[in-house]
Amino acid sequence: MSTPSDLTGKTVSWLEQLEQLLGGNAQLCFRDLFLEDSYWRDLVSLTWDTRQFWGGAQVEPMLLKHARAAGMRDLRLDPDRSAPVQAVIDGVVFIEAFFAFTVEVGKGKGFLRLQVGEGGAELRAQIIATSLVSLDIAPDVAQRHPGHGYEPEYPGQTFSEWRRAKGDFSGADPDVLIVGGSQSGVSLGARFERKGFTSYLIVDRSASPGDTWRKRYDALALHTNTPANDLPYLKLPSHWGEFLSKDQWADWLDSYARLMNLNCSYSTELVSGSFDEGSRTWEVVLRTADGDLRTLRPKHVVMAIGGVGGKPRIPGFPGLDQFQGEVLHSSRYKNGKRFKGQKVWVVGSSTTAHDICLDLYHSDASPTMVQRGATCVVGIQEVQKFTADYLKVSVEEADQRRDSTFILPLLVKRTQGVTAQSDIEYAELHEGLRKAGQKLTIGEDRTGWLMKLFRDLAGYYLNVGCSDAIISGGVKVLDFNRIDHFIANGARLHDGEVVEFDALVLATGYEDQSVDIAGIFGPEMARKIGRGIGLNEEGEYRNMARPTGQPHLWMMLGGIIDARKSSDVLAMQIIAQLRGLVPTLVRQASGSVAPLQADLQTTGEAISGQA
C-alpha cells in the first residue's frame, strides 16, 4: 500500500514528464505516459470547446496539438484540491489526482486517473481532463470590496441608486442578453459579476427569478438533495431540509439575484430577434411589463430557458377534440383539490406524471396514469447515492471530478454497474409495479435512470410515494396502446370498452429548445443550430454552454447542478470572444468548431488546430 507521500511523488513525476513531452522532449514517448485505452476531456481550456477523445490514436495527436497551441505549462499538483489518492476500480489500481496548469490566456485545473503498473513503478493515464477556470483579463474577484462595497458614480449615490443604475440599459445596449432568469440565467449573471463584467442583462417574462418554480404544481420538490444545489459563490443554509420544496427554492432564487446584485429585468419577454452578420450584433425586440416594445442591440444572446424549451408539447391524440371534460397540460396543473371525487387521467409516466398522480390520490381524486412508454423506476435514495460526493468534499471539487469523468464509454460502463445493482435492490418494487400494469425498463443499454437523465431528461421516476400508491391500487395504470380514440365522456378502447373519466392532464413534456428559437429568431436559425437536448455521438451535450451553429447565440442546460457548472465556462467563452482572445466560433456540420472566415487573419492562429 503506497503512502500519501509516495502517491504525491509519483504524480508529480508523471506531471513533469508530461510537461517535458509537451515541450518536445524527444526522449519521451506518449505511450509511455498514456494507456492505449485512454481518454481526454477538455472544457474550453485547450480547444475553446467542450470535447472528449477516446483511445490513444485520438488522444495523442489532439492533446499534443491543442496543448502546445494553447501554451499549456507549469503543470503541478493543485493546492486547492485533495491530495492524490489510491483507488481500485474493477480490480485495477489507480492513482487519482488533481493538478493545476497555465495557458496563454489564463489558468486551468485538471484531473488524472493513472493506472499503476506491475510493481507500482510505471504510471500511465487512463483519464486526463482539463478545464479553464480563469481568464487573466477577467479573474474572479475574491477579495472584499473596500468601503461600502460599491463604487458610486457620483458623490452621495446610495447603494440602491447605484444598483438600479447598474442594471439600467435604457440608454445603452448590454453586450450580453441572457434570456431566462431562473437558476441558469442568474448563475451566468453571477459569473459575469464576479469577473468584473457587468455589461449583461437578464430578462424573463416571469415577475421574479423564482416564479418559474413558484407557478408549477404545489406538490413539486427538488429531486436533487440540498448539499448539491449551491449556486455560484453562495451556499444554501446548512439547516435546510434535504429535498427542498419548489416554493423554498423559488424564494432562494429571488434572494440570490438580489444578493449578487444582478442586472435583471423581469416581466420582460423576448418577442423577436435577428442577427446582423456584418456588425456581429443582434437586434432584439422586448415587451416590457407595461406592454411597450423596446429594441436592444446586444453582441451575444444566451438562451437560458432550461434543458428543454418552454413550449408545452401537446400531442394530437385521436378524438381528443371531442372530449368534453377539462384538458390541461401539466404546466397549468396546480393541485388536486378541485378534482376531489373525480376520475382524472394523467397521460405520461415520467416524474411529473407520477407527482401529479400522487397529488391527485392524496386529494381524494381517482387518478389513472396513462402510460405511453416504459419507465425506469428506482427509489429517491439513488439520488442520495449519486450526490454523496458533495457531502465529502467541496462543491467545486465534486463538480470538477464529475466533469472530468463525464466520458461516454466510462459513463455507460459505470451506470450499467449501478443499474445492475439497483435492479436487484428494487426487484420487489418492480414486481409489484408490473403486477399493477406498469411497463418498466432499465434502458436499451441497461444504463438506467442516470443515462435517461443525461440523454433525454425524461423516462424515469425516483420514487417518493407514487409507486407505492400504484401497487396498492390507489393510482391505476392504463397502457396508452389500448386506447382507440377519445370520446365526449372518456375514451373507447380497441376492444370496444368505454372508460369514462372527468378530466385529462397531459404530462407530455416540452418541445426542444429549437422550437423556442424558431419562434423567436425564425426556422432557418433553428435549423442551423439543430436539436438542443441530449448527448451527441461524442458524449457531449449538443449545444449547451459551447459554440452553436449560429454566431453569438448560446444555450444553457436548466438543471441546478448543470447551471452551476456550465455557467463558468460559458461566461469565459463569451468574455474571450468579446475581448478578442479568440475569434467568433461557429459549430460546423461535422460537429467541430471553426472561426468565421473574416476572423481568420486576426485571431485564427489561436485556434488554427480546431478539429
Side-chain angles (χ1 to χ4, degrees), residues 289-325:
D290 55 11
D292 289 345
L293 297 180
R294 180 183 170 199
T295 299
L296 286 180
R297 292 174 177 81
K299 296 181 177 69
H300 290 256
V301 172
V302 180
M303 301 297 290
I305 58 176
V308 293
K311 183 177 176 59
R313 183 184 296 122
I314 310 293
F317 297 139
L320 186 57
D321 57 340
Q322 303 300 312
F323 178 62
Q324 295 181 1

Side-chain angles (χ1 to χ4, degrees), residues 277-602:
E277 298 285 349
S279 65
R280 310 272 179 84
T281 58
W282 294 90
E283 182 175 288
V284 298
V285 177
L286 305 175
R287 182 180 291 113
T288 59
D290 55 11
D292 289 345
L293 297 180
R294 180 183 170 199
T295 299
L296 286 180
R297 292 174 177 81
K299 296 181 177 69
H300 290 256
V301 172
V302 180
M303 301 297 290
I305 58 176
V308 293
K311 183 177 176 59
R313 183 184 296 122
I314 310 293
F317 297 139
L320 186 57
D321 57 340
Q322 303 300 312
F323 178 62
Q324 295 181 1
E326 183 176 4
V327 179
L328 70 159
H329 187 265
S330 58
S331 58
R332 292 175 47 228
Y333 178 90
K334 289 297 292 178
N335 58 62
K337 293 177 182 177
R338 65 189 182 88
F339 296 103
K340 181 178 181 180
Q342 296 185 32
K343 296 177 181 178
V344 183
W345 278 19
V346 180
V347 179
S349 58
S350 289
T351 298
T352 298
H354 278 83
D355 281 353
I356 290 175
C357 282
L358 184 61
D359 183 54
L360 288 165
Y361 170 64
H362 287 157
S363 301
D364 295 323
S366 298
T368 296
M369 179 182 295
V370 184
Q371 186 179 25
R372 294 190 293 169
T375 309
C376 182
V377 178
V378 294
I380 189 64
Q381 56 266 39
E382 294 304 304
V383 170
Q384 296 167 311
K385 297 176 186 176
F386 178 59
T387 56
D389 48 340
Y390 288 102
L391 297 174
K392 302 173 184 176
V393 297
S394 68
V395 168
E396 294 77 17
E397 182 169 321
D399 282 349
Q400 185 185 348
R401 193 181 189 284
R402 282 165 171 255
D403 280 338
S404 300
T405 57
F406 195 88
I407 296 169
L408 187 57
L410 300 181
L411 198 60
V412 167
K413 184 177 181 180
R414 180 159 62 93
T415 53
Q416 285 174 337
V418 170
T419 302
Q421 181 61 39
S422 65
D423 209 30
I424 296 171
E425 184 173 348
Y426 299 106
E428 184 177 345
L429 175 71
H430 293 164
E431 181 182 4
L433 291 173
R434 289 190 180 97
K435 287 181 179 178
Q438 189 166 23
K439 297 180 291 187
L440 301 178
T441 181
I442 56 174
E444 291 182 5
D445 52 359
R446 305 182 66 82
T447 52
W449 73 275
L450 279 169
M451 289 307 294
K452 286 188 174 294
L453 167 65
F454 298 141
R455 287 168 171 159
D456 304 309
L457 294 177
Y460 65 93
Y461 172 59
L462 303 165
N463 180 34
V464 291
C466 188
S467 294
D468 308 274
I470 290 173
I471 292 171
S472 69
V475 175
K476 306 294 184 184
V477 178
L478 176 72
D479 186 345
F480 183 87
N481 292 325
R482 294 184 59 197
I483 301 171
D484 184 73
H485 62 278
F486 290 91
I487 56 177
N489 59 345
R492 185 180 298 277
L493 308 185
H494 286 295
D495 61 8
E497 180 185 357
V498 171
V499 183
E500 297 183 357
F501 57 92
D502 303 297
L504 183 69
V505 180
L506 299 174
T508 47
Y510 295 82
E511 301 288 356
D512 189 82
Q513 258 196 66
S514 58
V515 175
D516 295 272
I517 290 172
I520 296 169
F521 302 112
E524 177 57 25
M525 194 170 295
R527 185 197 63 77
K528 288 168 63 177
I529 293 173
R531 189 181 177 207
I533 197 174
L535 306 179
N536 62 16
E537 295 80 3
E538 187 177 273
E540 296 296 330
Y541 288 109
R542 288 186 174 88
N543 285 301
M544 300 299 171
R546 57 202 305 240
T548 69
Q550 168 60 45
H552 295 194
L553 182 63
W554 307 82
M555 301 164 72
M556 283 190 72
L557 281 167
I560 297 168
I561 296 175
D562 292 312
R564 179 184 65 238
K565 293 194 300 180
S566 65
S567 57
D568 203 24
V569 293
L570 178 53
M572 287 187 286
Q573 289 175 83
I574 294 173
I575 293 173
Q577 289 193 21
L578 284 167
R579 299 294 183 258
L581 293 181
V582 289
T584 293
L585 300 177
V586 184
R587 184 132 340 252
Q588 307 298 298
S590 63
S592 62
V593 297
L596 286 181
Q597 194 65 31
D599 288 345
L600 285 174
Q601 294 181 348
T602 56

